[in-house]
Amino acid sequence: MYSRFLSDRIKNRIDSGKAIVVMGPRQVGKTTLIESILETRDYLLLDGDDPKTRTLLTEPNTEQIRTILGKYKFVFIDEAQKIEGIGLTMKIITDRFKDVQLFMNGSSFFDLSSKINEPLTGRKWEYQLFPISWEEYENHHGYLFAEQNLENRLLYGFYPDVLNNAGDEISILRNLVNSYLYKDILSYAEIRKPEVLEKLVQALALQVGSEVNYSELAQIVNVDKNTISKYIDILQKGYIVFKLNSFSRNVRNEIKTNKKVYFYDNGIRNMVLGNFNPMELRTDKGAIWENFLISERIKQIEYKQSLAHTYFWRTKQQQEVDFVEENGGKIFGYEFKWNKKKNQKLPKTFTQTYNAKSKIIDKVNFREFVIIK
């Protein structure tokens, strides 16, 4: 089993008087993480997939909750988003049963957050768990194995099931995309036109590393701009994609409003396109490399609780910086190159205007970017 960075952080919150909530996409190991933390403790598991459990936990009063909990001091509610009124039930547990440490997880951000945010204001520690990070992967396998398998990770990504079933990656990714990406998101978000979502996800996969124009996407998918915006928001909340906004402060010709969209996992992106050709045969190797680096950096920023804000930068004259990080009043610019050429530098317009530190990230030095010390 892969050791997860969040494990120690969560252990330090036990007995803090607040519920511990782990959110993230399906199949990234949320249940496994919580069960590993609780394995030496006697705990009560309440499974949101079980109809009887759902009935018991839907709007119970304090005495009913007391009966359900019994003498357990640790309680884990799995797939909590499937239980109606779960936020109020959790509020009663955290307020009335001070000696009980409550854990819960959920796969559907839009479903779960709406149910728990208001009732649990000030009563929860919330964590996001993503597919295995490069740091977790290298810690588990060692430097040499990780280095030898870099291309596989660029193609197949980091979902635990994918990592644990070498040789069967495509079947597992197909199941993930078909069941989670399309079925779950369609049902949770009440999307009426699955073919629109499918076309949009494919268009976004093709545009990784490029600016996304909602009007262009609307034409490609044949819907209006508002529908594109709504669906991209749903894909974000479903932990499929995330956005980078453009960085703009001083320069007159900077692009100010456009966005870039990246996938949390390369394997999902490549499955959407149905393309697992080796890197040397691909025309999109730059996009694959960029998506890997930025998604890994986003995991690190979340896990290490960095205060960094992330962007990209471009001017109307096509000067560009792939990734911009603003942290503690300092600005850092990064360019990503699969094959680095000599004397490559970031645009002076950017580095001088913002007094920015800059670095080219390639296959030789990428670890210093994907692991924040």
Side-chain angles (χ1 to χ4, degrees), residues 44-277:
L44 174 64
L45 173 63
L46 297 166
D47 184 358
D49 277 325
D50 177 43
K52 287 185 179 177
T53 300
R54 288 202 296 270
T55 303
L56 277 173
L57 292 180
T58 298
E59 299 180 4
N61 60 37
T62 303
E63 285 311 307
Q64 288 169 325
I65 291 173
R66 192 187 308 278
T67 302
I68 293 165
L69 299 184
K71 294 182 179 179
Y72 288 99
K73 302 302 179 191
F74 297 92
V75 177
F76 173 24
I77 305 175
D78 196 17
E79 293 296 334
Q81 79 275 358
K82 297 185 178 178
I83 302 165
E84 280 303 314
I86 189 61
L88 192 55
T89 303
M90 291 176 65
K91 179 180 182 292
I92 293 170
I93 294 172
T94 52
D95 284 354
R96 302 290 177 85
F97 301 89
K98 300 290 188 185
D99 57 343
V100 171
Q101 176 61 64
L102 182 61
F103 291 81
M104 63 169 293
N105 74 22
S107 304
S108 169
F109 179 89
F110 23 80
D111 224 26
L112 184 57
S113 61
S114 62
K115 290 178 178 176
I116 68 169
N117 274 353
E118 191 177 336
L120 286 183
T121 301
R123 296 176 175 87
K124 62 180 166 61
W125 297 109
E126 192 171 299
Y127 300 94
Q128 294 185 82
L129 187 69
F130 301 108
I132 304 295
S133 69
W134 178 269
E135 181 178 23
E136 291 164 338
Y137 182 73
E138 191 172 292
N139 285 344
H140 182 82
H141 290 288
Y143 173 90
L144 184 60
F145 181 92
E147 173 71 24
Q148 290 168 338
N149 281 273
L150 173 61
E151 183 168 324
N152 277 342
R153 301 287 55 85
L154 293 174
L155 295 178
Y156 300 116
F158 285 94
Y159 270 82
D161 244 11
V162 169
L163 296 177
N164 291 328
N165 291 279
D168 203 21
E169 295 94 342
I170 292 175
S171 295
I172 290 162
L173 285 166
R174 183 183 287 112
N175 287 337
L176 261 174
V177 167
N178 289 341
S179 65
Y180 174 59
L181 199 161
Y182 294 126
K183 286 181 188 168
D184 276 11
I185 286 183
L186 288 170
S187 62
Y188 281 134
E190 297 182 352
I191 291 175
R192 304 278 188 269
K193 296 177 179 176
E195 68 280 1
V196 170
L197 184 70
E198 196 167 345
K199 278 185 191 173
L200 174 60
V201 175
Q202 287 173 349
L204 292 173
L206 287 167
Q207 293 187 27
V208 159
S210 303
E211 287 164 66
V212 167
N213 183 305
Y214 283 20
S215 297
E216 259 179 44
L217 286 172
Q219 287 184 329
I220 292 168
V221 181
N222 198 25
V223 293
D224 61 72
K225 251 173 73 174
N226 290 337
T227 302
I228 293 293
S229 179
K230 176 191 166 192
Y231 280 24
I232 289 178
D233 186 49
I234 287 165
L235 289 167
Q236 275 192 280
K237 288 177 177 175
Y239 295 100
I240 305 300
V241 302
F242 60 92
K243 289 188 285 196
L244 282 189
N245 293 320
S246 55
F247 183 82
S248 172
R249 296 290 161 79
N250 301 315
V251 181
R252 188 197 318 168
N253 290 319
E254 284 174 331
I255 302 294
K256 294 178 170 61
T257 58
N258 283 8
K259 296 172 174 55
K260 288 187 177 185
V261 175
Y262 296 90
F263 283 70
Y264 277 109
D265 187 75
N266 270 32
I268 296 293
R269 184 258 179 191
N270 292 330
M271 188 70 236
V272 164
L273 294 177
N275 186 352
F276 292 97
N277 288 337

